[in-house]
Amino acid sequence: MAYARMSHQRVYPSEIIFMRALLFIFLLLLTVMGCTSTPNVNEVAARSAKQYYKYLLTGQYESFVDGKYRTDQIPSSYRNQLVDNAKMYMAQQEQDHRGIKDVRIVNAKVDTSRHVANVFLVFAYGDSTSEEIVVPMVEKDNVWYMK
């Protein structure tokens, strides 16, 4: 390969290879830095709310109740009532709409200074209707709970 000429200077092939290697390393670092970003706080709150309702849909009522804020500080009799209420709610939805078949995330609005969020979910019912609900959430120790 012949020498490349730029003004009055010569660029040698070894310098071209070195510059290409530097450019490749720089682009690789940019790619790695872009892939290691923290997850969007709105998305984390929304996924948490959706997961709690997925527990409800699959009959994991205890897990659904555990998704409520501070359920570890209530008497066991009250916790059992919350579990029974979740079961009755699902039975009522089955009777009224042939059950909830799917839960979709619509939006989430997070107030990071107050550690609260409103997550908007849509229930798709078995009778082909749908309903949008708002799930108030609170963050404690980097975990999102339902209020």
Side-chain angles (χ1 to χ4, degrees):
M1 179 169 155
Y3 298 120
R5 291 184 183 224
M6 301 181 92
S7 295
H8 295 59
Q9 297 177 340
R10 290 187 177 182
V11 178
Y12 296 98
S14 61
E15 291 174 330
I16 293 173
I17 292 171
F18 179 72
M19 287 188 288
R20 284 183 182 168
L22 281 178
L23 179 63
F24 176 75
I25 291 170
F26 176 73
L27 291 175
L28 183 64
L29 285 174
L30 281 177
T31 303
V32 169
M33 288 174 22
C35 293
T36 59
S37 64
T38 58
N40 180 337
V41 105
N42 290 344
E43 186 177 334
V44 173
R47 286 185 180 187
S48 297
K50 181 178 178 179
Q51 183 59 51
Y52 293 135
Y53 276 90
K54 286 287 189 180
Y55 289 146
L56 187 64
L57 295 183
T58 58
Q60 299 176 47
Y61 304 113
E62 292 82 10
S63 296
F64 175 76
V65 170
D66 289 340
K68 293 196 178 270
Y69 185 56
R70 296 197 176 197
T71 53
D72 58 337
Q73 298 177 358
I74 60 174
S76 62
S77 60
Y78 182 59
R79 187 180 184 289
N80 291 338
Q81 288 176 6
L82 291 175
V83 171
D84 290 341
N85 284 343
K87 290 176 184 177
M88 287 188 288
Y89 174 76
M90 289 307 292
Q92 186 67 42
Q93 296 306 310
E94 187 65 38
Q95 181 182 355
D96 292 348
H97 299 287
R98 289 187 280 177
I100 301 171
K101 301 304 177 192
D102 192 26
V103 176
R104 291 187 321 262
I105 298 169
V106 175
N107 198 2
K109 304 284 185 187
V110 175
D111 183 345
T112 54
S113 64
R114 294 179 44 221
H115 302 279
V116 295
N118 283 322
V119 176
F120 301 87
L121 301 176
V122 169
F123 289 166
Y125 293 109
D127 63 0
S128 300
T129 60
S130 62
E131 177 182 15
E132 184 173 319
I133 65 163
V134 178
V135 183
M137 304 284 284
V138 62
E139 182 189 25
K140 178 71 173 168
D141 297 327
N142 293 323
V143 177
W144 285 98
Y145 296 98
M146 298 179 289
K147 281 188 178 180

